[in-house]
Amino acid sequence: MTTSVEAPIERHETALKFLHNTQVSIEKARIAVGNRVKAIERGVDGGQVPMPETYTSILGALEAVEAEIDAAIKDELTRWPVWDLWLRHVRGIGPSLAGQMLALLLPPRADKGPSSWFKAAGLAPELRPDGMMRLPRARAGEGKITYHPWLRRCLHNVAHSFVLMGGYYRQVYEQKKAALVAKHTGDADWPPHRLDSVARWSMLKVFLGHTWEAWCEADGIPNRGPYIVALHPEHHYIPRPLPDGKAKI
């Protein structure tokens, strides 16, 4: 029997992906049952009234399974060096979000940079027929999407958590948004919701760049750095804020 230094990490990746996939399945079932229960309670469902006790029992069981999976993910994260080195120190990133990201992001490679994550998450703008640069999304008549929808959803939740919780990445968001507002005030192509959305995705790119760097450091992978910084000298790399091991950034 042969062994490999990569085998433990591969097993951890498999375990985390399994837990995440199971979590998604249970979440879908819990939402479906919860919606049915609420509809019956409001009297807008054709189901039996009064509501069978089984319905609420199933809902409670699904919620308990979700809690059990969350606990398993939290335990699994202790086997990931990047969690201990970096993610657990970032305000707004708890075990659930960290577990989702690590299950969905491909591990860094020495011949690639964080731009590969941007593309996988649909954060690489595309030139549209109208001449505007837009992030890819599902559009009628344009075929299948080329990004991972669950990863994009996960990162959307990460952005919401950063903006809600404050801290370092909230400051990045505010700076990005202020710069966009100053540049595009009065431009009909830049309504408030677009300014906010672009600022959030820009903030996430900074965070993903930092996470790529930390993951490379944690696993001893040579770090090539962001492609755009090497390609365009006018872009400056924002160094990763290093936590002191206790304080949240």
Side-chain angles (χ1 to χ4, degrees), residues 74-237:
K74 185 175 182 179
D75 180 68
E76 186 62 33
L77 285 173
T78 62
R79 299 171 174 84
W80 288 71
V82 69
W83 164 254
D84 187 63
L85 176 71
W86 171 244
L87 290 175
R88 75 181 183 89
H89 300 283
V90 180
R91 182 182 298 177
I93 299 293
S96 181
L97 279 178
Q100 290 179 49
M101 283 194 299
L102 294 178
L104 293 168
L105 291 171
L106 291 177
R109 286 171 38 178
D111 62 333
K112 291 185 176 293
S115 297
S116 60
W117 282 354
F118 302 164
K119 185 174 182 180
L123 299 183
E126 300 175 339
L127 182 63
R128 304 293 305 157
D130 60 5
M132 299 293 293
M133 295 294 292
R134 302 279 190 179
L135 293 184
R137 63 179 177 83
R139 293 182 174 90
E142 295 191 7
K144 295 182 179 180
I145 58 176
T146 58
Y147 59 89
H148 196 313
W150 280 99
L151 175 57
R152 187 148 164 177
R153 177 195 175 192
C154 170
L155 294 176
H156 177 275
N157 292 336
V158 170
H160 178 73
S161 182
F162 283 159
V163 173
L164 183 66
M165 296 295 293
Y168 176 85
Y169 290 106
R170 169 62 185 260
Q171 294 175 13
V172 173
Y173 157 78
E174 291 176 344
Q175 292 168 2
K176 295 284 186 181
K177 188 172 182 178
L180 288 167
V181 170
K183 183 177 179 180
H184 297 291
T185 295
D187 188 340
D189 290 325
W190 285 83
H193 68 85
R194 186 182 180 195
L195 294 167
D196 181 74
S197 178
V198 172
R200 287 177 183 241
W201 291 128
S202 297
M203 168 190 65
L204 276 173
K205 285 186 174 183
V206 174
F207 166 67
L208 288 175
H210 290 161
T211 299
W212 179 282
E213 176 190 333
W215 198 337
C216 287
E217 180 182 333
D219 287 359
I221 301 169
N223 178 24
R224 197 186 72 178
Y227 176 71
I228 192 171
V229 174
L231 188 65
H232 298 284
E234 69 273 16
H235 288 274
H236 301 287
Y237 178 64

